[in-house]
Amino acid sequence: MARTFGEMSIREIQSGLAAKEFSAADVARGTFERIAAADAPVHSFLETTQELALDAAARIDKAIAEDRLADMGPLAGIPVGYKDNMNLTGTHTTCSSNMLRNYVSPYTATCVENTLRAGALPIGKLNMDEFAFGSSTETSAFGPTRNPWDLERVPGGSSGGSAAAVAAGLVPVTLGSDTGGSIRQPGSFCGLVAVKPTYGVVSRYGVVAFGSSLDQVGPFARTVEDAALTLNALSGRDELDCTSQPCDVDFTANLAEGVAGMKIGIVPAFMEAQGLTAEVKAKVAEAADQLRKLGAELVEVELPHAQAAMSAYYVLGPCEAFSNLARFDSVRYGYCDPGHKDLGSQYEASRHEGFGPEARRRIMLGSYLLSAGVYDKYYYPAQQVRTLITQDYTSAYESVDCILTPVAPRTAFKFGEIGDPTEMYLSDMFTISINIAGNGGMSVPVGLGADTNLPVGVQLIAPAFKDKNMLRVAAALETVYGPAPVAPAFADGKVGA
């Protein structure tokens, strides 16, 4: 069977459109047909948006007829899916929570709007851990998403639906959000290129917040170029988000330059971390050796406060989550438990029923950490640790252009395999410090683990606002390992054929 549109790269689809081998309407209809046929076992999509996509396709086809395709933007005619914490007018934005089960967006997030302006075909909303609280997509109120590489395993989280949709070849590009690893960890578990850009590169306006000082939106794709083209569409200053920054950068500009002469940092403590499996360690060491063969110099660097990142994150994150979730009061919007005669009991019951166990756990933790007598003991020191971690990265980048580390300590685990919340939190042990410091980080697939035969990714970390460095290194690794493949069971339209 011929490859589906979801298995093609951006350039392949746009070349076919330009040559009039197919129309943008064909791309949209073919994508929805593929989702209908193949998504059931994966459960990546919560809602599809056929009418919006076909309207966008009509605009692209009109431009093609007028020989204006090149003017329509870097994502012209490309199917794109969105994590369900990103508002899109007229669609449900549920954050995979009963609290927002019936909420319909009255406006569109800037990151989504930017993809539409770049010519994207909006395909729908993707499953996630409830309010982005999780590392497996098991906390979704609408049921888990499954890893296309092994349906008995998790796709990672919290952006598991976004990762699984690309890994299954349903769409070529999706957007996720990353607060402590929620793009990079599922990218590794599903064998994809997955990018968390520097904090401020992409506007957060219209993205339901978990941790406002930690969240950042980024793309999932199967090639580094596709991720870079998507970043071109996403990035830039937004007057509606005071934390966004001007970003006049072409992220594709240096992808072909190679790594000769670059200095790549290796963190010895990360390579000896407790819990890091032998197959992941071997793949990271192999990737480092490949970069050396390509002309890069490997330099050991120290991040002396990185071991405190997990502790700092699980103070800062719940505190910000507690603050951000306070708005869901059952009065203005959100789930409202019926039959209560007073506001207090209605408020308590609505939040208990509307939020799942992990959301309630983080709300209670954040409430405690911000309470009188506790704030000075935990929250303020966590902010001090944040400063020290940021300084560690700044110091490291005085001697290297990019840092190479593991993404996750292991490959994708089975559903129910990790029941202890603390053990689940350790899935992000290598990714959290980047969100705390605000640097850019990404996952790049480097083949399959020797023991599990499942995807392994390596993490590349760049200095703040020098995300081109990590993309350049990722492109060099791609010349060795190739673009990310579609999961074998879904390749060439096998499932649902």
Side-chain angles (χ1 to χ4, degrees):
M1 182 175 176
R3 295 167 69 220
T4 64
F5 292 115
E7 296 175 274
M8 297 182 184
S9 69
I10 289 175
R11 292 202 182 275
E12 286 175 325
I13 291 175
Q14 291 178 340
S15 294
L17 291 171
K20 299 184 179 179
E21 296 171 4
F22 45 78
S23 67
D26 292 334
V27 175
R29 284 192 288 266
T31 299
F32 290 118
E33 289 171 2
R34 182 64 185 148
I35 292 169
D39 188 44
V42 177
H43 187 45
S44 60
F45 278 90
L46 296 179
E47 179 179 11
T48 54
T49 51
Q50 287 94 329
E51 185 175 345
L52 292 176
L54 288 170
D55 286 347
R59 292 191 291 274
I60 299 300
D61 285 334
K62 183 175 185 294
I64 293 171
E66 297 170 354
D67 199 25
R68 294 188 295 106
L69 179 61
D71 299 329
M72 297 303 288
L75 299 179
I78 305 303
V80 178
Y82 306 97
K83 186 176 181 178
D84 199 33
N85 61 350
M86 301 175 188
N87 280 277
L88 173 58
T89 302
T91 69
H92 291 88
T93 300
T94 71
C95 294
S96 290
S97 174
N98 281 322
M99 180 60 75
L100 292 174
R101 179 181 290 268
N102 298 315
Y103 178 74
V104 177
S105 302
Y107 69 107
T108 297
T110 298
C111 60
V112 177
E113 183 65 37
N114 284 349
T115 64
L116 301 180
R117 289 174 181 168
L121 310 183
I123 300 302
K125 296 296 199 63
L126 294 153
N127 201 15
M128 57 185 283
D129 280 300
E130 182 182 13
F131 283 102
F133 302 151
S135 301
S136 63
T137 318
E138 290 177 284
T139 69
S140 170
F142 308 116
T145 293
R146 298 183 178 276
N147 192 322
W149 285 84
D150 181 346
L151 296 176
E152 295 183 358
R153 296 179 184 267
V154 304
S158 62
S159 305
S162 299
V166 178
L170 305 181
V171 285
V173 173
T174 59
L175 299 189
S177 65
D178 189 309
T179 309
S182 292
I183 289 174
R184 289 158 289 157
Q185 184 248 28
S188 179
F189 280 12
C190 292
L192 303 172
V193 177
V195 184
K196 183 209 84 73
T198 298
Y199 183 85
V201 166
V202 181
S203 171
R204 294 180 298 107
Y205 176 76
V207 180
V208 180
F210 166 3
S212 301
S213 73
L214 303 163
D215 299 341
Q216 188 62 177
V217 171
F220 291 89
R222 277 193 306 281
T223 72
V224 176
E225 182 183 50
D226 282 5
L229 287 168
T230 306
L231 281 176
N232 283 349
L234 290 173
S235 62
R237 174 77 174 130
D238 177 16
E239 292 182 356
L240 298 172
D241 175 9
C242 65
T243 65
S244 66
Q245 300 296 316
C247 192
D248 186 18
V249 174
D250 178 1
F251 291 99
T252 67
N254 66 345
L255 297 184
E257 292 181 6
V259 293
M262 293 187 76
K263 294 183 178 180
I264 309 297
I266 305 295
V267 186
F270 281 12
M271 295 299 286
E272 301 302 326
Q274 184 177 0
L276 181 66
T277 60
E279 63 176 346
V280 172
K281 181 177 180 179
K283 275 295 181 182
V284 177
E286 176 189 291
D289 190 53
Q290 292 292 349
L291 291 172
R292 181 186 56 77
K293 291 177 181 178
L294 291 169
E297 178 184 351
L298 303 182
V299 179
E300 289 191 356
V301 296
E302 299 296 333
L303 299 172
H305 298 96
Q307 76 277 6
M310 184 75 70
S311 299
Y313 177 85
Y314 280 102
V315 172
L316 300 174
C319 287
E320 295 189 15
F322 165 70
S323 177
N324 282 319
L325 294 182
R327 72 194 71 179
F328 302 108
D329 59 7
S330 77
V331 176
R332 289 167 290 185
Y333 54 84
Y335 172 76
C336 182
D337 198 65
H340 296 275
K341 295 181 179 180
D342 63 275
L343 182 61
S345 62
Q346 175 189 307
Y347 182 80
E348 181 178 349
S350 296
R351 286 171 67 83
H352 181 272
E353 295 299 323
F355 291 125
E358 184 62 30
R360 295 198 299 270
R361 183 180 295 116
R362 300 201 190 198
I363 289 169
M364 289 189 292
L365 179 57
S367 175
Y368 170 74
L369 292 168
L370 290 174
S371 61
V374 178
Y375 173 93
D376 290 342
K377 186 178 180 180
Y378 293 105
Y379 184 76
Y380 185 63
Q383 292 288 20
Q384 292 177 308
V385 169
R386 181 179 209 156
T387 299
L388 293 173
I389 291 171
T390 303
Q391 290 172 345
D392 286 347
Y393 275 105
T394 300
S395 177
Y397 289 122
E398 292 176 359
S399 57
V400 298
D401 303 299
C402 186
I403 296 173
L404 172 72
T405 76
V407 178
R410 57 175 297 174
T411 57
F413 48 87
K414 291 185 177 182
F415 285 98
E417 185 175 344
I418 299 179
D420 179 8
T422 303
E423 187 178 354
M424 184 72 77
Y425 298 160
L426 293 175
S427 295
D428 298 329
M429 62 190 295
F430 298 116
T431 55
I432 277 174
S433 64
I434 291 88
N435 296 79
I436 288 176
N439 297 345
M442 65 183 293
S443 176
V444 185
V446 291
L448 306 181
D451 299 325
T452 60
N453 205 36
L454 292 170
V456 176
V458 296
Q459 181 172 221
L460 300 170
I461 313 167
F465 298 104
K466 292 186 178 179
D467 299 326
K468 288 172 63 176
N469 286 16
M470 65 187 185
L471 289 164
R472 176 181 170 185
V473 177
L477 285 173
E478 192 173 68
T479 65
V480 176
Y481 293 99
V486 172
F490 291 81
D492 300 324
K494 289 177 185 174
V495 173

